[in-house]
């Protein structure tokens, strides 16, 4: 077989796209929390022409989500095209996720097919990448812009033709990222370092002149916009600081100072390994350790970007006025994923060409599995077994193609092992039953609680915050939604109907029962003894109340 064939990234792209689509449709759980509801509501306002650019005139609402226009702006367009549904709401994050795989494929398909395929698998099949396709959160959208920014910086500096156009594109892409989420700032130290290096070497001047000039013009226009509408050019920065001040009781500033040392030392590493990113970290380390044998200079670019982004994530602060490290939650790592997975792709490429590092990779992965000692250990243990066996069986000549390093067969086996292990967790969740009952709840509301129905509907504490989404933000005027706890205080007019909506999935959802839902289905039914079943779909029941 011909080595370095683009067939491997082609097949990998198809597999990643199909698995992403399958995960998106088979695991969709509806709205997750306040953030996606707020983004959706802003999208509806934009689509209906009721969106207010200026802040709340009474100064009561300080919501930084409202300033992320490239999160809800495209969704507003989708609402105009397809209506307000949970699929149209989350189609933009899905497209951004698939866009990442496409950019990786386009960038390295012919030049470095093993790098392209490995990076697509590590980024696209990472469980939390797939999980975030289901929700209108900014993180996968930002990840797409981050990847495009990195590629445009890399390609723009190596192009002898049209460097000005690449510089303009680089500035525009970073501005798009800023309009999606502020954490594009993770990349700023790397940008400044590359700029300083190019200035010292007197290279790529036209690219940087265009990038800095257009970037300054865009940023100046942006600040002027805020000055006009809010009388504060730095309104967005001050809004973030207000948010940090509001949430300070639970962070490292006041409420959690004792944990600061752990947060700045071992906790980030434990967190990254615990989310499954240990595979990418170790392969990136293999790329860094194999620099002398590596022939491709672009590996250094992605290694440096990954290192500076990781340092910002590890030691950076969410505030300009106080030191408050970034929360260790999976969705905060999305800016790190593109450079890390590309650097790891070069590490996989080095192993495929010469599996000298296979045994220490296997030992390190096995150590991760033993350290975690949970379900994620299957990922590390399975790949440890592959690297150990592949290294032991590798033969330079006179062997089957799959045993000869540097051949397409050997590379295909490595990618197959990586794809198989990374797919286990997503496939497991694709087979699990719903924990929200969103589709069943949508069906019950659409069939029985629509105009011209009138009366009171008693619902749980989660649905009370977003029931208008199910009606496209146009609730029938005759319907009122109240919490279960309000049953004793609601006075019904003679002849007025009342319903009880019970979603057993919501009442047993572990994400909700930790704080929000403090009652069981039996508790709810006991509060409404005079009831009759009207409709049941799956775990959702609608009762009429006498």
């Amino acid at each position: 077989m011909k080595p370095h064939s683009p067939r491997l990234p082609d097949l990998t792209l198809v597999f990643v796209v199909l698995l992403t689509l399958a995960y998106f449709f088979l695991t969709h759980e509806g709205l997750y929390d306040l953030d996606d509801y707020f983004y959706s509501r802003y999208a509806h306002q934009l689509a209906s022409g009721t969106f207010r650019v200026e802040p709340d005139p009474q100064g009561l609402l300080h919501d930084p989500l409202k300033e992320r226009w490239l999160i809800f702006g495209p969704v507003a367009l989708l609402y105009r095209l397809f209506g307000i549904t949970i699929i149209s709401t989350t189609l933009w994050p899905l497209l951004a996720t698939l866009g990442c795989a496409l950019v990786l494929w386009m960038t390295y398909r012919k030049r470095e097919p093993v790098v392209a395929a490995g990076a697509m698998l590590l980024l696209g099949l990472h469980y939390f990448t797939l999980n975030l396709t289901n929700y209108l959160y900014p993180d996968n959208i930002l990840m797409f812009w981050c990847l495009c920014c990195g590629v445009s910086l890399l390609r723009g500096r190596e192009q002898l033709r049209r460097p000005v156009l690449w510089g303009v594109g680089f500035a525009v892409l970073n501005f798009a990222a800023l309009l999606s989420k502020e954490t594009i700032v993770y990349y700023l130290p790397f940008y400044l370092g590359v700029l300083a290096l190019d200035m010292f070497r007197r290279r790529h001047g036209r690219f940087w002149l265009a990038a800095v000039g257009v970037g300054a013009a865009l940023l100046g226009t942006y600040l002027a916009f805020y000055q006009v509408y809010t009388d504060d050019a730095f309104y967005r920065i001050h809004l973030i600081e207000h948010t940090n001040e509001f949430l300070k009781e639970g962070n490292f500033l006041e409420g959690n100072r004792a944990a600061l040392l752990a947060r700045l030392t071992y906790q980030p590493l434990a967190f990254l390994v615990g989310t499954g990113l240990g595979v990418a970290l170790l392969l990136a380390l293999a790329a860094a350790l194999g620099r002398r044998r590596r022939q491709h200079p672009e590996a250094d670019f992605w290694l440096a970007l990954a290192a500076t982004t990781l340092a910002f994530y590890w030691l950076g602060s969410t505030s300009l006025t106080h030191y408050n490290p970034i929360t260790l939650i999976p969705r905060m790592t999305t800016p790190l994923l593109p450079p890390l997975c590309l650097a790891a792709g070069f590490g996989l490429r080095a192993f495929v060409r010469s599996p000298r590092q296979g045994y220490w990779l296997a030992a390190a992965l096995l150590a991760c599995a033993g350290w975690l000692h949970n379900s994620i250990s299957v990922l590390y243990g399975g790949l440890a077994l592959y690297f150990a066996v592949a290294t032991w069986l590798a033969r330079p000549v006179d062997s089957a193609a799959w045993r000869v390093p540097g051949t397409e067969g050997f590379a295909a086996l490595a990618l197959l092992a990586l794809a198989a292990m990374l797919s286990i967790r997503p496939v497991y969740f694709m087979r699990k039953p719903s924990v929200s009952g969103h589709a069943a709840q949508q069906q019950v509301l659409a069939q029985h609680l629509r105009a011209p129905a009138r009366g009171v509907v008693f619902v749980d504490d989660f649905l009370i915050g977003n029931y208008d989404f199910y009606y496209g933000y146009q609730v029938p005027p005759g319907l009122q939604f109240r919490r279960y706890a309000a049953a004793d205080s609601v006075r019904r007019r003679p002849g007025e109907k009342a319903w009880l909506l019970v979603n057993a999935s919501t009442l047993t959802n572990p994400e909700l029962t930790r704080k929000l839902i403090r009652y069981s289905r039996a508790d709810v039914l006991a509060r409404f003894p005079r009831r009759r079943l009207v409709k049941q779909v799956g775990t959702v029941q609608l009762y009429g109340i006498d």
Side-chain angles (χ1 to χ4, degrees):
M1 284 187 246
K2 181 182 178 181
H4 309 299
S5 168
R7 287 182 295 178
L8 291 177
D10 292 349
L11 293 173
T12 302
L13 177 66
V14 172
F15 178 71
V16 170
V17 169
L18 290 178
L19 187 65
T20 302
L21 291 173
Y23 185 92
F24 177 80
F25 286 106
L26 293 177
T27 66
H28 217 301
E29 298 284 4
L31 295 176
Y32 178 70
D33 206 346
L34 288 176
D35 285 16
D36 49 355
Y37 171 73
F38 283 161
Y39 288 127
S40 173
R41 191 175 63 181
Y42 291 141
H44 161 68
Q45 292 173 358
L46 196 60
S48 60
T50 59
F51 182 80
R52 293 176 58 93
V53 175
E54 63 273 13
D56 178 47
Q58 296 181 348
L60 299 177
L61 179 63
H62 295 283
D63 183 9
L65 306 184
K66 189 178 180 181
E67 312 308 317
R68 297 172 177 176
W69 298 332
L70 280 188
I71 302 302
F72 57 84
V75 178
L77 177 60
L78 293 172
Y79 282 172
R80 295 293 296 270
L81 294 175
F82 306 115
I84 300 176
T85 67
I86 195 60
I87 298 301
S88 62
T89 298
T90 52
L91 188 57
W92 175 216
L94 172 66
L95 292 175
T97 307
L98 295 175
C100 290
L102 184 61
V103 171
L104 292 170
W105 177 81
M106 293 174 62
T107 304
Y108 283 111
R109 172 181 178 263
K110 294 182 178 180
R111 301 173 63 166
E112 289 293 342
V114 174
V115 174
M120 279 191 284
L121 290 174
L122 289 165
L123 188 146
L125 301 189
H126 177 52
Y127 170 72
F128 291 103
T129 296
L130 292 169
N131 180 256
L132 286 167
T133 62
N134 281 345
Y135 306 110
L136 184 54
Y137 272 58
D139 306 284
N140 279 18
I141 300 167
L142 175 68
M143 181 172 67
F144 172 72
W145 297 126
C146 285
L147 175 58
C148 292
C149 289
V151 170
S152 65
L153 178 59
L154 177 67
R155 291 287 175 263
R157 293 170 61 251
E158 68 181 19
Q159 293 293 326
L160 297 178
R161 298 179 180 179
R162 298 179 292 181
V164 173
L165 186 60
W166 279 98
V168 171
F170 175 67
V172 171
L173 287 169
N174 277 279
F175 188 65
L178 179 64
L179 295 183
S180 299
K181 194 176 181 182
E182 304 80 5
T183 42
I184 184 60
V185 73
Y186 287 17
Y187 282 18
L188 184 59
F190 180 74
Y191 292 164
L192 295 176
V194 174
L195 174 60
L197 182 64
D198 284 347
M199 290 179 63
F200 177 76
R201 295 178 176 177
R202 297 183 179 180
R203 300 188 307 180
H204 314 303
R206 295 175 64 192
F207 169 84
W208 281 114
L209 186 63
V212 174
V214 173
L218 289 172
L219 189 59
T221 303
Y222 189 55
L223 296 177
F225 171 86
Y226 277 116
Q227 182 64 41
V228 170
Y229 280 96
T230 69
D231 294 323
D232 180 6
F234 298 99
Y235 171 77
R236 191 173 179 187
I237 295 176
H238 295 152
L239 195 58
I240 296 170
E241 292 298 336
H242 285 315
T243 303
N244 282 328
E245 182 69 19
F246 178 75
L247 298 174
K248 68 181 181 180
E249 290 185 2
N251 64 24
F252 293 99
L253 298 178
E254 292 191 2
N256 202 16
R257 284 177 181 264
L260 183 58
L261 180 60
R263 169 60 183 83
L264 297 179
T265 52
Y266 69 89
Q267 278 187 356
L269 178 61
F271 163 75
L272 292 170
V273 172
T275 58
L277 287 176
V279 177
L281 286 171
L282 287 171
L283 285 172
L285 181 61
L289 294 177
R291 292 181 73 251
R292 293 184 179 179
R293 297 190 303 272
R294 191 175 60 244
Q295 298 179 357
H296 207 300
E298 292 183 9
D300 287 334
F301 178 91
W302 296 114
L303 280 167
L305 180 54
T308 55
T309 307
L310 180 60
F312 200 111
Y313 183 76
W314 202 306
L315 304 172
S317 173
T318 61
S319 171
L320 296 175
T321 58
H322 301 87
Y323 183 64
N324 185 43
I326 298 158
T327 308
L328 292 177
I329 56 178
R331 65 186 184 89
M332 296 297 183
T333 64
T334 47
L336 172 65
L337 292 181
L340 177 64
C341 292
L342 276 164
F346 281 98
L348 184 65
R349 168 187 179 271
F351 171 80
V352 164
R353 291 193 170 191
S354 178
R356 303 177 187 177
Q357 300 172 325
Y359 287 129
W360 79 255
L361 279 171
L365 289 166
L366 196 60
C368 291
W371 182 22
L372 293 177
H373 200 64
N374 58 23
S375 59
I376 309 297
S377 298
V378 176
L379 168 64
Y380 293 113
L383 287 175
L385 179 63
Y386 160 73
F387 280 110
V389 172
T391 304
W392 181 59
L393 293 176
R395 296 292 183 270
V397 291
D398 300 330
S399 300
W402 61 270
R403 297 181 63 180
V404 179
T407 63
E408 188 174 20
F410 194 81
L413 189 62
L415 294 170
L416 183 63
L418 192 61
M421 291 298 103
L422 288 170
S423 299
I424 291 176
R425 194 177 185 191
V427 170
Y428 169 75
F429 280 96
M430 287 161 60
R431 295 170 57 87
K432 289 189 67 175
S434 171
V435 297
S436 71
H438 169 80
Q441 189 163 263
Q442 176 75 76
Q443 182 179 341
V444 170
L445 291 171
Q447 289 181 353
H448 296 275
L449 295 174
R450 60 182 179 182
R454 303 180 65 87
V456 181
V457 187
F458 294 101
V459 297
D460 58 71
D461 287 278
F462 180 71
L463 184 58
I464 195 64
N466 57 46
Y467 64 86
D468 54 347
F469 171 81
Y470 289 84
Y471 294 95
Y473 299 101
Q474 295 179 344
V475 181
L479 285 179
Q480 301 179 54
F481 284 77
R482 300 293 182 88
R483 289 181 171 86
Y484 298 143
D488 297 334
S489 61
V490 173
R491 295 184 179 180
R492 287 188 283 159
R493 294 185 295 270
E496 185 179 33
K497 291 185 177 181
W499 293 272
L500 170 65
L501 183 65
V502 179
N503 186 336
S505 295
T506 297
L507 301 184
T508 56
N509 185 341
E511 292 290 331
L512 299 175
T513 54
R514 293 191 187 107
K515 292 183 178 180
L516 184 63
I517 304 295
R518 297 301 180 93
Y519 41 81
S520 65
R521 178 175 175 273
D523 296 331
V524 174
L525 296 180
R527 183 183 284 272
F528 301 90
R530 301 180 62 184
R531 64 185 185 277
R532 49 180 167 61
L533 184 64
V534 175
K535 180 70 174 181
Q536 178 169 353
V537 179
T539 59
V540 180
Q541 299 161 330
L542 179 67
Y543 297 92
I545 301 175
D546 298 327

